[in-house]
Amino acid sequence: MGELQSRELTTLSVMGLPVHIGDQYADWLLLRQSQGLGAQVVTLNAEMAMLADRTPELKAMIQQADLVIPDGAGIVLYFRLKGKRIQRCPGIELAEAVLQSLRMDQSVVFFGGAPGVAAAASAAWQQRNPQLQVTGLQHGFVTPDEEAAFQTHLQSTQPTVILLALGVPRQEFWMQAHQHLCPQAIWIGVGGSFDIWAGRKERAPAWFCNNNLEWLYRLYQEPWRWRRMLALPKFALRALTYSGS
Ligand code: UDP
């Protein structure tokens, strides 16, 4: 417990949502997990904060999540305007740090993406970390029967980590509704990360990431996202004038 306490996180708030600040999120999660405590992990960006603002169920889910990391540039810039300099932690990097740290007696399940993508992401990971134990693969376009079988599989195998790449807010609602199946697991909503690991999409070059411009590169790769990205200026306005709880 002492070790866990020494890695405590600081909690900040934006638009009534928590943001946990730390520098060793993967270690924090794995230490907690070794003590029998699972976790629901949310990777917060401006678009998600705006969605939570108009979706009370998502807001409540984020408020009760065990770990909410500052995934998006908008979140970092908001705190900078408030005089707090925080480090951005993209969800994909947190998931990578966790996967790199898993031992042979621990396991991971990949759930989400188009058919074939979770398998390709898993195969890429097994090259990177040959001792990684992948005990479940399920694409994200499941029929009710497939989903029931997958739930049974989760319950009987009790993986250490469950990665959900279903998009926001589907992945958050799914982990909330099913956490009871594996209460000791680390559940992480990872959005489009499987597409990147599988080589179907590219991450922005480091320069964009380091300058809070990953969203700009993403816009260039996926121009149809422009409408979704209007969330960023709307978020800035809303967050800076927010007075609710
Ligand atoms: N997806 C899925 N099931 C669905 C809808 C989407 O598995 O019913 C997957 C989709 O194939 C993609 C991921 O969810 O791999 C969402 O990626 P995106 O980059 O849109 O994530 P977000 O921006 O929501 O974090």
Side-chain angles (χ1 to χ4, degrees):
M1 191 67 197
E3 212 183 334
L4 184 59
Q5 264 165 2
S6 72
R7 291 183 199 183
E8 275 313 346
L9 306 169
T10 309
T11 306
L12 300 179
S13 173
V14 55
M15 284 165 56
L17 304 171
V19 180
H20 299 120
I21 308 300
D23 52 4
Q24 304 279 348
Y25 294 119
D27 289 354
W28 185 87
L29 282 168
L30 288 163
L31 185 62
R32 240 179 95 91
Q33 205 275 338
S34 70
Q35 294 169 344
L37 295 170
Q40 293 184 38
V41 182
V42 168
T43 67
L44 189 68
N45 61 25
E47 195 183 338
M48 191 175 183
M50 288 305 286
L51 185 61
D53 200 41
R54 55 179 192 273
T55 315
E57 300 79 11
L58 181 60
K59 185 170 184 177
M61 185 281 163
I62 299 172
Q63 285 173 332
Q64 60 80 53
D66 303 285
L67 181 63
V68 182
I69 64 166
D71 168 284
I75 305 289
V76 172
L77 294 174
Y78 165 78
F79 285 116
R80 195 169 292 175
L81 288 172
K82 290 273 169 183
K84 293 193 182 87
R85 207 162 254 280
I86 65 164
Q87 185 72 34
R88 173 172 174 244
C89 178
I92 188 168
E93 289 178 17
L94 168 63
E96 289 175 353
V98 169
L99 292 186
Q100 248 142 9
S101 306
L102 288 186
R103 301 184 312 256
M104 281 187 81
D105 59 334
Q106 297 175 310
S107 59
V108 59
V109 166
F110 290 76
F111 174 34
V117 171
S122 159
W125 262 99
Q126 280 175 313
Q127 297 252 317
R128 272 169 90 166
N129 177 3
Q131 65 171 1
L132 189 70
Q133 305 295 317
V134 180
T135 54
L137 288 174
Q138 175 60 60
H139 67 71
F141 294 82
V142 277
T143 63
D145 280 354
E146 283 168 338
E147 190 175 318
F150 179 60
Q151 288 176 28
T152 307
H153 178 74
L154 285 183
Q155 194 158 28
S156 61
T157 52
Q158 293 296 315
T160 317
V161 177
I162 301 163
L163 300 179
L164 301 105
L166 302 170
V168 177
R170 194 177 279 119
Q171 61 200 21
E172 284 71 29
F173 289 143
W174 208 91
M175 78 168 83
Q176 184 182 38
H178 298 93
Q179 198 207 17
H180 66 278
L181 298 173
C182 304
Q184 296 186 352
I186 299 168
W187 302 69
I188 313 178
V190 295
S193 301
F194 292 1
D195 296 305
I196 290 170
W197 294 333
R200 311 269 169 119
K201 283 184 192 161
E202 248 180 76
R203 248 198 111 188
W207 183 86
F208 285 83
C209 299
N210 296 339
N211 288 285
N212 286 318
L213 290 173
E214 193 160 358
W215 61 272
L216 185 63
Y217 188 81
R218 202 153 186 202
L219 186 62
Y220 154 74
Q221 269 206 328
E222 302 169 68
W224 52 266
R225 277 181 182 269
W226 71 269
R227 196 181 289 276
R228 282 176 62 175
M229 284 187 177
L230 290 180
L232 205 67
K234 286 184 189 156
F235 162 79
L237 203 64
R238 178 85 176 111
L240 290 168
T241 55
Y242 185 79
S243 60
S245 56

